[in-house]
Structures are given as structure tokens and as C-alpha cells.
């Protein structure tokens, strides 16, 4: 069941962003395969963006049970899942910016608190996405991502 959702707009400038469930996380590393989301340590994932310019419309959904897989044609890629260890009780977003990471969250939104039983356990993160255009370097384009998170007690922590 959906517990909470947040809609926001980021401007990652082609660098993607980091989703962290811990206080400490690393700067995004090299991409190891053609996936759009990959783990970055045990408690963080880095998400790649298809476009290099334009805004990213991001919806984050917190569920208490696994959501149904979206099989509609609304998404160009996904679902792609990773399992993260939920070290802290909140989710952090970070965007690479001039060789550094800038934490980002809308001022008008309270932190996304994870269910209490999640701390120290595993959390599954699922990504869906679509881009207005995947042609590199041409104009201001947008992209849309959906991140769904839910406790995954049967998954072994990465």
C-alpha cells in the first residue's frame, strides 16, 4: 500500500543523482553496465539520467508492501531494482555539482521517513523512467523518473 509520495523537480545536468539511506555516501563512481540504477556502496544507489539538459520530474513513492509492476507503455525503461541497507531512518538525495555532491530536498516537504521496522533492514528501490529525447546535446529536454521504495525483509543486504 502507498504510504506517502513526493513530487519534485531536479536539474541534474546529465550527471544523475544519488539516493542514500545512510548518513555517509560516496560520489558516483563509474557505470559498470547499461543499467539506469546501480548500487553505490551498501546503502546508496546512483541513478543515471538519459538527457544532459532540462529538468527531471521525480516522483518518490514509499510503500509498505511491494507495488504492482507498471506494465503500461508510459515508461521507456524500467523496472530496474536494487536492494539497499537502510542504515538511517530517512532518504537523502544528492546531485553532483562541480566535483562535489549537493544534498537536495524541497523546502516545503518534510523528510521522507522510512517505516520504523526498516532501519537496519533491506529496502528495495525500483526505478522507471522516460525522457523527452535521448539525443545528446540538443536543446533543453526533460526527463521523468519514478522511484518506488518498500521494505524487503527477505532480500539479503547487499
Amino acid at each position: 500500500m502507498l504510504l506517502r509520495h513526493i513530487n519534485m523537480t531536479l536539474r541534474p545536468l546529465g550527471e544523475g543523482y544519488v539516493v542514500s539511506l545512510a548518513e555517509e555516501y560516496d560520489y558516483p563512481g563509474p557505470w559498470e553496465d547499461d543499467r539506469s540504477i546501480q548500487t553505490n556502496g551498501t546503502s546508496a544507489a546512483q541513478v543515471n539520467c538519459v538527457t544532459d539538459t532540462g529538468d527531471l520530474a521525480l516522483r518518490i513513492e514509499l510503500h509498505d508492501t511491494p507495488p504492482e509492476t507498471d506494465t503500461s507503455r508510459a515508461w521507456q525503461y524500467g523496472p530496474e531494482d536494487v536492494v539497499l541497507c537502510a542504515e538511517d531512518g530517512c532518504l537523502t538525495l544528492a546531485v553532483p555539482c562541480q566535483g562535489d555532491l549537493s544534498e537536495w530536498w524541497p523546502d516545503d516537504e518534510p523528510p521522507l521517513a522510512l517505516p520504523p521496522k526498516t532501519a537496519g533492514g533491506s529496502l528495495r528501490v525500483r526505478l522507471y523512467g522516460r525522457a523527452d529525447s535521448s539525443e545528446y546535446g540538443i536543446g533543453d529536454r526533460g526527463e521523468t523518473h519514478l522511484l518506488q521504495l518498500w521494505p524487503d525483509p527477505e532480500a539479503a543486504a547487499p
Side-chain angles (χ1 to χ4, degrees):
M1 177 174 88
L2 179 64
L3 299 174
R4 182 171 173 212
H5 74 276
I6 297 172
N7 294 313
M8 61 185 77
T9 302
L10 302 174
R11 188 164 273 256
L13 301 174
E15 296 292 329
Y17 54 96
V18 175
V19 177
S20 178
L21 305 177
E23 191 172 319
E24 301 279 329
Y25 48 86
D26 292 326
Y27 193 84
W31 286 97
E32 297 177 11
D33 56 30
D34 61 354
R35 293 174 47 91
S36 296
I37 186 170
Q38 68 181 18
T39 56
N40 185 11
T42 59
S43 298
Q46 55 193 71
V47 181
N48 192 22
C49 291
V50 172
T51 60
D52 61 327
T53 60
D55 290 337
L56 172 73
L58 174 61
R59 178 180 173 98
I60 300 174
E61 296 180 349
L62 180 61
H63 297 259
D64 61 354
T65 58
E68 288 191 32
T69 302
D70 186 345
T71 57
S72 73
R73 295 179 182 251
W75 305 108
Q76 291 172 325
Y77 53 92
E80 294 182 39
D81 292 12
V82 295
V83 176
L84 300 178
C85 180
E87 291 181 19
D88 291 342
C90 288
L91 177 139
T92 302
L93 285 178
V95 178
C97 180
Q98 299 177 355
D100 199 359
L101 279 172
S102 172
E103 288 188 8
W104 193 92
W105 198 259
D107 291 335
D108 60 341
E109 288 286 350
L112 182 66
L114 304 177
K117 64 182 178 183
T118 305
S122 295
L123 194 76
R124 187 163 294 271
V125 180
R126 177 173 291 159
L127 170 71
Y128 294 92
R130 75 172 168 269
D132 295 344
S133 172
S134 59
E135 193 172 336
Y136 188 81
I138 306 290
D140 194 27
R141 300 174 309 280
E143 189 164 351
T144 302
H145 285 182
L146 168 62
L147 284 177
Q148 297 175 316
L149 299 92
W150 68 93
D152 193 1
E154 296 189 21

